[in-house]
Amino acid sequence: MSESESSRFADLPPLLPHVPLQPYDPGLSPEEASRRYYEVMRQRRSVRMFSDRPVSRETIEQICLAGGTAPSGAHKQPWRFVCVSNPELKRRIREAAEAEEREFYARRASRRWLEDLSPLGTDSDKPFLEIAPWLIIVFQMVKTDDGGMVYYREESVGIATGMLIAAIHQAGLVTLTHTPSPMKFLSSVLNRPDHERPFLLLPVGYPADDCVVPDMERKPLDEIVVWEE
Ligand code: IYR
């Protein structure tokens, strides 16, 4: 560290103890391990038709622990996962979300936006908010619980949410990245403090027996990657 960096503040906290990394060994070559992971992840679909079949709290706990392994700015872990199975709370969330969505489809959405959504068949009806056994509402924290700073909040919470979604899929369950907009109602319905802001709502459960999903393709590798070797 340069003289100017080390001496700017005299009283910074000491370096944490450092321990040897225990590298994760998939027991396979990187080629095989990454292929198998892709084969699992390519089967993930966003689902809007849920079964009411129960999912244990233990499962949701493991999924949240996996989401919580995400990296974050200065390790502030600025996420809170509010896990709702209470039927009365789910009903109130559905009611408020549908009110916002009715406004969205009837007035707020531009013609362009409705054009893009039309092939997906979405509308303001959100029965899955009551049918799915769990709703995980991801909140981002604009301050830590003790009033400290957080850094790269959106990036950190976005990464944690992605890892949560991967964990839901790995568990053999399905979800949907639901974005009721605006979502401020979630703070009041769920009684969350001011320093937590709603980020995303994930219904979690099994798909309905007659569940269908839109037949669409993902972009091929050469459209999502640029090589500079
Ligand atoms: N939030 C609305 C609209 C909507 C927006 C996008 I972007 C989608 O991929 C799907 C729906 C709703 O949930 O209906």
Side-chain angles (χ1 to χ4, degrees), residues 48 101 104-105 113 117 120 122-124 126 128 176-181:
R48 294 181 168 77
E101 294 301 291
F104 171 83
Y105 286 94
W113 196 340
L117 287 179
L120 302 176
T122 60
D123 60 30
S124 59
K126 306 296 174 190
F128 54 77
L176 170 71
T177 48
H178 182 40
T179 51
S181 163

